[in-house]
Amino acid sequence: MKNTQRRAAILEQVTLAHGPISAEEIFAILRERFPTLALSTVYRNLERFAADGLIDRETSPDGVFRYSGREGHGHYLVCTQCHSRIRLHECPLSAMEEKLEEETGFSIDRHQLTLYGKCPACKKQEPHN
Amino acid sequence: MKNTQRRAAILEQVTLAHGPISAEEIFAILRERFPTLALSTVYRNLERFAADGLIDRETSPDGVFRYSGREGHGHYLVCTQCHSRIRLHECPLSAMEEKLEEETGFSIDRHQLTLYGKCPACKKQEPHN
DNA sequence: CTTCTTGCAAATAATTTGCACTCCA
DNA sequence: TGGAGTGCAAATTATTTGCAAGAAG
């Protein structure tokens, strides 16, 4: 894997991002620094990183791929209205996984958990209940 | 909401399905019974059902929307190789959710949890480790 | 009848791919 | 220099939408 400026910049954005980030979002950010950057380059690198296990890929509820760094496997609580996000620090699943592996014979290698709801600010805005 | 044959058949497939099922999959099944059925009709009805809370929509790891009936909120353990699926009967999150609502002020209304790994059969097939 | 549904075809949106050119090792 | 990396445009795939015709209440 060669080391190019764009490749490094893409990976940097993933790890810099506050939470899971999409190819388009990275593209928008890096376009300023690299005016000729192609969206396909972003996709190709992200897929590469994910295949090599450098980053994680997940699908957000709107059906878009989002990538996140591996600085600690994280789960999120996201607001369905304003998309604000809070990272959860505990992962209640590690324990459960072992038990499941025994019960089912599967070998589990990853899981995705995301919780959806309304953040305090958005709750206030709609008293239509 | 009017009651049409196709609408009923689509909903039936969702509830009949073993696990989360896609629009294309439903379309393929129902095409035999309704040769003129349009894929857009399947999508429109599924979206309608989901909006009305009749069924749940989630995104599978390949980025495709999959719909599932609400006969018991369920989580799955799916094989990344053969896509076989096992439904988990316990949901370790209800307890956690309450605590999180207090801590964060969010009101949580749904969550998605899926575990990925290799099923026993597929593990055997690849001793390339 | 009158409105909700549907089929069909065309429009979007996200992602992937082919190919010629560029740049790092 | 030689192959990995990139830009660009075109191809795919999943999903959505407009509109005229069909069926349900």
Side-chain angles (χ1 to χ4, degrees):
Chain A
M1 180 137 86
K2 283 188 183 171
N3 179 28
T4 71
Q5 279 188 80
R6 322 202 155 202
R7 172 164 290 167
I10 292 167
L11 185 53
E12 182 194 30
Q13 286 309 315
V14 177
T15 55
L16 244 56
H18 187 273
I21 190 172
S22 72
E24 294 270 8
E25 287 162 356
I26 293 176
F27 179 63
I29 295 171
L30 292 182
R31 203 118 202 244
E32 299 175 24
R33 205 183 329 162
F34 305 98
T36 68
L37 175 66
L39 185 52
S40 55
T41 298
V42 179
Y43 275 109
R44 270 192 283 235
N45 278 291
L46 290 172
E47 287 302 316
R48 188 86 187 297
F49 297 150
D52 292 3
L54 260 167
I55 63 177
D56 281 325
R57 185 182 86 171
E58 66 175 75
T59 59
S60 56
D62 57 348
V64 171
F65 289 138
R66 288 175 178 275
Y67 304 81
S68 52
R70 284 207 159 166
E71 11 65 59
H73 159 85
H75 298 305
Y76 294 87
L77 174 49
V78 342
C79 178
T80 50
Q81 197 117 80
C82 68
H83 297 98
S84 66
R85 232 185 310 245
I86 291 182
R87 175 187 220 121
L88 311 184
H89 292 292
E90 33 184 342
C91 167
L93 299 169
S94 325
M96 192 186 173
E97 283 186 356
E98 275 188 42
K99 202 176 52 164
L100 278 173
E101 289 189 327
E102 277 180 34
E103 286 176 17
T104 62
F106 270 63
S107 67
I108 300 176
D109 42 53
R110 59 202 195 79
H111 63 247
Q112 184 189 342
L113 165 61
T114 311
L115 298 145
Y116 303 99
K118 291 258 164 53
C119 74
C122 289
K123 271 199 298 187
K124 265 187 213 155
Q125 285 179 12
E126 41 168 73
H128 348 301
N129 284 321
Chain B
M1 178 137 87
K2 283 188 182 174
N3 179 29
T4 71
Q5 278 189 80
R6 323 202 154 199
R7 173 163 291 167
I10 292 167
L11 186 52
E12 183 194 31
Q13 286 309 315
V14 177
T15 55
L16 244 57
H18 187 273
I21 189 172
S22 72
E24 294 270 6
E25 286 161 357
I26 293 176
F27 179 63
I29 295 171
L30 292 181
R31 205 124 202 233
E32 298 174 25
R33 202 180 335 159
F34 305 99
T36 68
L37 177 65
L39 185 52
S40 54
T41 298
V42 179
Y43 274 109
R44 270 192 283 233
N45 278 292
L46 289 172
E47 287 302 317
R48 188 85 187 297
F49 297 150
D52 291 4
L54 260 166
I55 63 178
D56 282 324
R57 186 182 87 171
E58 66 175 76
T59 59
S60 56
D62 56 349
V64 171
F65 289 138
R66 290 177 176 274
Y67 305 81
S68 52
R70 284 209 158 164
E71 10 65 61
H73 160 86
H75 299 305
Y76 295 86
L77 175 49
V78 343
C79 178
T80 49
Q81 196 119 81
C82 68
H83 297 99
S84 66
R85 236 188 302 249
I86 292 183
R87 176 189 220 116
L88 311 183
H89 292 292
E90 32 182 344
C91 167
L93 300 170
S94 326
M96 192 186 172
E97 284 187 355
E98 273 187 44
K99 201 177 50 161
L100 278 174
E101 290 190 327
E102 278 180 35
E103 286 176 18
T104 63
F106 270 64
S107 67
I108 300 176
D109 42 52
R110 61 202 193 78
H111 64 247
Q112 182 188 341
L113 166 61
T114 312
L115 298 144
Y116 304 98
K118 291 257 164 54
C119 73
C122 290
K123 270 198 299 186
K124 265 187 212 153
Q125 285 180 12
E126 44 168 69
H128 347 299
N129 284 322

